[in-house]
Short mmCIF file of all heavy atoms in Angstrom, two decimals:
data_model
loop_
_atom_site.label_atom_id
_atom_site.label_comp_id
_atom_site.label_asym_id
_atom_site.label_seq_id
_atom_site.Cartn_x
_atom_site.Cartn_y
_atom_site.Cartn_z
N ILE X 56 38.00 187.24 22.84
CA ILE X 56 36.93 187.37 21.85
C ILE X 56 36.73 188.85 21.57
O ILE X 56 37.35 189.70 22.20
CB ILE X 56 35.65 186.72 22.37
CG1 ILE X 56 35.28 187.29 23.74
CG2 ILE X 56 35.84 185.22 22.47
CD1 ILE X 56 34.02 186.72 24.31
N HIS X 60 36.19 195.18 28.10
CA HIS X 60 35.54 195.64 29.32
C HIS X 60 36.37 196.79 29.90
O HIS X 60 37.59 196.66 30.03
CB HIS X 60 35.53 194.46 30.30
CG HIS X 60 34.48 194.51 31.34
ND1 HIS X 60 34.06 193.39 32.00
CD2 HIS X 60 33.77 195.53 31.87
CE1 HIS X 60 33.14 193.72 32.88
NE2 HIS X 60 32.95 195.00 32.81
N GLN X 64 38.30 201.78 39.40
CA GLN X 64 38.50 201.49 40.82
C GLN X 64 39.05 202.73 41.50
O GLN X 64 40.16 203.17 41.17
CB GLN X 64 39.43 200.29 41.03
CG GLN X 64 39.51 199.86 42.49
CD GLN X 64 40.26 198.55 42.67
OE1 GLN X 64 41.16 198.23 41.92
NE2 GLN X 64 39.86 197.78 43.68
N ILE X 70 35.53 197.63 42.57
CA ILE X 70 35.63 197.77 41.11
C ILE X 70 34.24 197.98 40.54
O ILE X 70 33.30 197.25 40.88
CB ILE X 70 36.29 196.52 40.50
CG1 ILE X 70 37.76 196.45 40.95
CG2 ILE X 70 36.20 196.54 38.98
CD1 ILE X 70 38.49 195.22 40.47
N SER X 72 32.03 198.34 36.98
CA SER X 72 32.02 198.14 35.54
C SER X 72 31.53 199.41 34.86
O SER X 72 30.48 199.96 35.22
CB SER X 72 31.09 196.98 35.20
OG SER X 72 30.91 196.88 33.80
N ASN X 120 36.43 181.59 27.34
CA ASN X 120 35.60 181.13 28.46
C ASN X 120 34.97 182.29 29.21
O ASN X 120 34.45 182.10 30.30
CB ASN X 120 36.44 180.30 29.43
CG ASN X 120 36.79 178.94 28.85
OD1 ASN X 120 35.97 178.33 28.18
ND2 ASN X 120 38.00 178.50 29.10
N TYR X 121 35.04 183.47 28.61
CA TYR X 121 34.49 184.69 29.20
C TYR X 121 35.22 185.12 30.46
O TYR X 121 34.71 185.91 31.24
CB TYR X 121 32.99 184.56 29.50
CG TYR X 121 32.16 184.08 28.33
CD1 TYR X 121 31.10 183.22 28.51
CD2 TYR X 121 32.46 184.51 27.04
CE1 TYR X 121 30.35 182.79 27.44
CE2 TYR X 121 31.71 184.07 25.97
CZ TYR X 121 30.65 183.21 26.17
OH TYR X 121 29.91 182.79 25.12
N GLN X 122 36.42 184.58 30.68
CA GLN X 122 37.22 185.06 31.80
C GLN X 122 38.00 186.27 31.34
O GLN X 122 38.42 186.37 30.20
CB GLN X 122 38.17 183.98 32.26
CG GLN X 122 37.47 182.84 32.94
CD GLN X 122 38.44 182.09 33.78
OE1 GLN X 122 39.04 182.66 34.68
NE2 GLN X 122 38.63 180.83 33.50
N LEU X 123 38.20 187.20 32.28
CA LEU X 123 38.83 188.46 31.92
C LEU X 123 40.35 188.36 31.98
O LEU X 123 40.92 187.85 32.94
CB LEU X 123 38.37 189.56 32.88
CG LEU X 123 36.88 189.93 32.79
CD1 LEU X 123 36.54 190.99 33.83
CD2 LEU X 123 36.52 190.40 31.40
N TRP X 125 43.33 190.84 32.26
CA TRP X 125 43.36 192.21 32.75
C TRP X 125 44.54 193.01 32.20
O TRP X 125 45.66 192.48 32.10
CB TRP X 125 43.44 192.22 34.27
CG TRP X 125 42.28 191.57 34.95
CD1 TRP X 125 42.08 190.24 35.14
CD2 TRP X 125 41.16 192.23 35.52
NE1 TRP X 125 40.90 190.03 35.79
CE2 TRP X 125 40.31 191.23 36.06
CE3 TRP X 125 40.78 193.57 35.67
CZ2 TRP X 125 39.11 191.53 36.69
CZ3 TRP X 125 39.58 193.86 36.31
CH2 TRP X 125 38.77 192.84 36.80
N ARG N 32 27.08 182.86 36.45
CA ARG N 32 28.53 182.74 36.69
C ARG N 32 28.93 183.59 37.90
O ARG N 32 28.42 184.70 38.09
CB ARG N 32 29.31 183.19 35.46
CG ARG N 32 29.32 182.14 34.37
CD ARG N 32 30.53 182.27 33.52
NE ARG N 32 30.65 181.14 32.60
CZ ARG N 32 31.65 180.95 31.79
NH1 ARG N 32 32.62 181.83 31.76
NH2 ARG N 32 31.69 179.89 31.01
N TYR N 34 32.57 184.64 40.11
CA TYR N 34 34.03 184.66 40.09
C TYR N 34 34.56 185.15 41.44
O TYR N 34 33.98 186.04 42.06
CB TYR N 34 34.54 185.63 39.02
CG TYR N 34 34.05 185.37 37.62
CD1 TYR N 34 32.79 185.79 37.21
CD2 TYR N 34 34.86 184.73 36.68
CE1 TYR N 34 32.34 185.56 35.92
CE2 TYR N 34 34.42 184.50 35.39
CZ TYR N 34 33.16 184.93 35.01
OH TYR N 34 32.72 184.70 33.73
N GLN N 38 42.98 190.76 45.36
CA GLN N 38 43.71 191.96 44.97
C GLN N 38 44.54 192.46 46.14
O GLN N 38 44.01 192.72 47.21
CB GLN N 38 42.75 193.05 44.49
CG GLN N 38 43.47 194.27 43.92
CD GLN N 38 42.51 195.31 43.39
OE1 GLN N 38 41.38 195.43 43.86
NE2 GLN N 38 42.95 196.08 42.39
N PHE N 46 42.81 186.34 39.36
CA PHE N 46 41.74 185.36 39.29
C PHE N 46 42.03 184.21 40.25
O PHE N 46 43.14 183.68 40.31
CB PHE N 46 41.61 184.84 37.86
CG PHE N 46 40.74 183.63 37.72
CD1 PHE N 46 39.37 183.75 37.73
CD2 PHE N 46 41.31 182.38 37.56
CE1 PHE N 46 38.56 182.63 37.59
CE2 PHE N 46 40.52 181.26 37.42
CZ PHE N 46 39.14 181.38 37.43
N TYR N 49 36.18 180.25 39.40
CA TYR N 49 34.86 180.66 39.01
C TYR N 49 33.92 179.46 38.93
O TYR N 49 34.34 178.31 38.77
CB TYR N 49 34.86 181.48 37.71
CG TYR N 49 34.80 180.70 36.41
CD1 TYR N 49 33.59 180.48 35.76
CD2 TYR N 49 35.97 180.25 35.82
CE1 TYR N 49 33.54 179.80 34.56
CE2 TYR N 49 35.92 179.57 34.61
CZ TYR N 49 34.71 179.35 33.98
OH TYR N 49 34.67 178.68 32.78
N GLU N 57 36.95 176.26 37.03
CA GLU N 57 38.39 176.51 36.93
C GLU N 57 38.90 177.05 38.25
O GLU N 57 38.23 177.82 38.94
CB GLU N 57 38.69 177.50 35.81
CG GLU N 57 40.19 177.66 35.54
CD GLU N 57 40.48 178.44 34.26
OE1 GLU N 57 39.59 178.53 33.40
OE2 GLU N 57 41.60 178.94 34.14
N TYR N 102 29.21 189.20 28.46
CA TYR N 102 30.34 188.83 29.31
C TYR N 102 30.60 189.80 30.45
O TYR N 102 31.53 189.61 31.20
CB TYR N 102 31.60 188.75 28.46
CG TYR N 102 31.33 188.46 27.01
CD1 TYR N 102 31.52 189.43 26.05
CD2 TYR N 102 30.86 187.22 26.61
CE1 TYR N 102 31.27 189.18 24.71
CE2 TYR N 102 30.60 186.96 25.28
CZ TYR N 102 30.81 187.94 24.33
OH TYR N 102 30.55 187.70 23.01
N GLU N 103 29.78 190.79 30.58
CA GLU N 103 30.07 191.85 31.54
C GLU N 103 29.99 191.33 32.96
O GLU N 103 29.01 190.72 33.37
CB GLU N 103 29.12 193.01 31.37
CG GLU N 103 29.50 194.25 32.14
CD GLU N 103 28.78 195.50 31.64
OE1 GLU N 103 27.91 195.36 30.76
OE2 GLU N 103 29.09 196.59 32.14
N GLN N 104 31.06 191.54 33.71
CA GLN N 104 31.12 191.12 35.10
C GLN N 104 30.79 192.29 35.99
O GLN N 104 31.29 193.40 35.80
CB GLN N 104 32.50 190.56 35.44
CG GLN N 104 32.82 189.25 34.73
CD GLN N 104 34.13 188.63 35.17
OE1 GLN N 104 34.62 188.90 36.27
NE2 GLN N 104 34.69 187.79 34.32
N PHE N 106 30.91 193.60 39.90
CA PHE N 106 31.71 193.32 41.08
C PHE N 106 31.00 193.72 42.37
O PHE N 106 30.28 194.72 42.42
CB PHE N 106 33.06 194.05 41.00
CG PHE N 106 34.02 193.40 40.06
CD1 PHE N 106 33.90 193.59 38.70
CD2 PHE N 106 35.02 192.57 40.53
CE1 PHE N 106 34.77 192.97 37.81
CE2 PHE N 106 35.90 191.95 39.66
CZ PHE N 106 35.77 192.15 38.30
#
Side-chain angles (χ1 to χ4, degrees):
Chain X
I56 54 179
H60 204 158
Q64 187 171 32
I70 293 177
S72 172
N120 288 322
Y121 308 143
Q122 289 201 59
L123 294 178
W125 299 80
Chain N
R32 283 207 171 184
Y34 304 80
Q38 186 177 28
F46 168 78
Y49 87 96
E57 187 169 340
Y102 335 110
E103 191 163 5
Q104 293 186 23
F106 284 79

